Amino acid sequence: MTLTLTVSDEVRALVPGFTHLAVEARGLVNGPSDATSAALLDEAARRLAERLDGRTPDQDPHVAAWRAAYTAFGAKPSRTRNSAEALARRALADGSAGGLPRINRIVDAYNAVSVAHLIPVGGEDLDRIRGGMRLVRATGEEDFVTVSGGAETVEHPEPGEVVWCDEAGVTCRRWNWRQGPRTRIDDATTDALFLLESLEPMTPDELRAAGEELAEALRKVSPGARITVRDPE
């Protein structure tokens, strides 16, 4: 069954140029990072350095657009960076891929696409999502279950904050800043949805190319997986 993704009118009005593309993967076989997933990260860091050509990530037009979007809903983009900028800064920390985390094969694959294209990419375990997913402006009463100091704790987003949520609560705070542990991809994940999020000036064709590259990366790290790339929305 295809997961329903809905973007609220409030979010569309706040950032009219927002577009997203979903990649569904079934039959994944995950596991610890290996030479294949590490090579994807290495190549992504090389492409990032070439793309920026000495600039900092925030000077890239797409990252700058995300910073403006964060400012629009009241977040401070220098303190709570979108996921693509945060990864890019780690990739450039020592001039190589050494700054990028090695999580597991599947997460490495989508992190590599995020870094190479400077686009936020999130991964959700489909078996842990409850109902459809919605991108909304929070009331401030929604639950966001996370872990602090080794113990599970419940936080609440700021009123007006842009969040992804399902029927059980918030899955990702401040649009694509911080994912909750409930729906994260781990070694047991077999079915997943990956969400690539773009703003102008990134074009639908560029977004589609990033989605196709992710599909290919997933086939490399998990041969035999069934991958579907949806159209940009």
Side-chain angles (χ1 to χ4, degrees), residues 136-200:
V136 301
R137 300 199 71 178
T139 65
E141 298 179 358
E142 299 88 347
D143 288 343
F144 177 71
V145 180
T146 186
V147 175
S148 178
E152 186 175 281
T153 185
V154 178
E155 299 177 355
H156 303 282
E158 297 292 331
E161 182 180 323
V162 176
V163 298
W164 279 102
C165 58
D166 65 3
E167 291 179 3
V170 174
T171 60
C172 194
R173 286 198 58 188
R174 294 177 188 161
W175 210 318
N176 44 44
W177 166 66
R178 183 180 173 199
Q179 184 184 27
R182 172 171 59 92
T183 61
R184 282 180 187 160
I185 291 172
D186 59 24
D187 288 358
T189 299
T190 57
D191 298 335
L193 179 130
F194 305 90
L195 192 62
L196 292 77
E197 301 180 286
S198 73
L199 300 172
E200 296 174 348

Side-chain angles (χ1 to χ4, degrees), residues 53-111:
D53 192 24
R55 296 175 298 157
T56 55
D58 58 287
Q59 293 174 304
D60 180 87
H62 195 223
V63 173
W66 276 108
R67 283 181 156 242
Y70 271 46
T71 300
F73 68 80
K76 292 181 172 60
S78 293
R79 291 182 56 192
T80 55
R81 296 184 176 97
N82 72 82
S83 61
E85 182 181 353
L87 276 175
R89 285 179 175 272
R90 294 190 67 171
L92 297 170
D94 61 359
S96 71
L100 283 172
R102 268 61 171 170
I103 308 298
N104 56 55
R105 292 196 298 271
I106 302 303
V107 174
D108 291 354
Y110 78 73
N111 279 348

Side-chain angles (χ1 to χ4, degrees), residues 18 48 62 87 135 142 153 212 225 230:
F18 174 64
L48 173 69
H62 195 223
L87 276 175
L135 185 67
E142 299 88 347
T153 185
E212 294 291 352
R230 296 196 205 172

Side-chain angles (χ1 to χ4, degrees), residues 25-28 124-127 185 188-193 226:
R26 306 277 179 173
L28 292 166
E124 306 284 351
D125 188 312
L126 283 171
D127 291 332
I185 291 172
T189 299
T190 57
D191 298 335
L193 179 130
R226 303 180 301 280

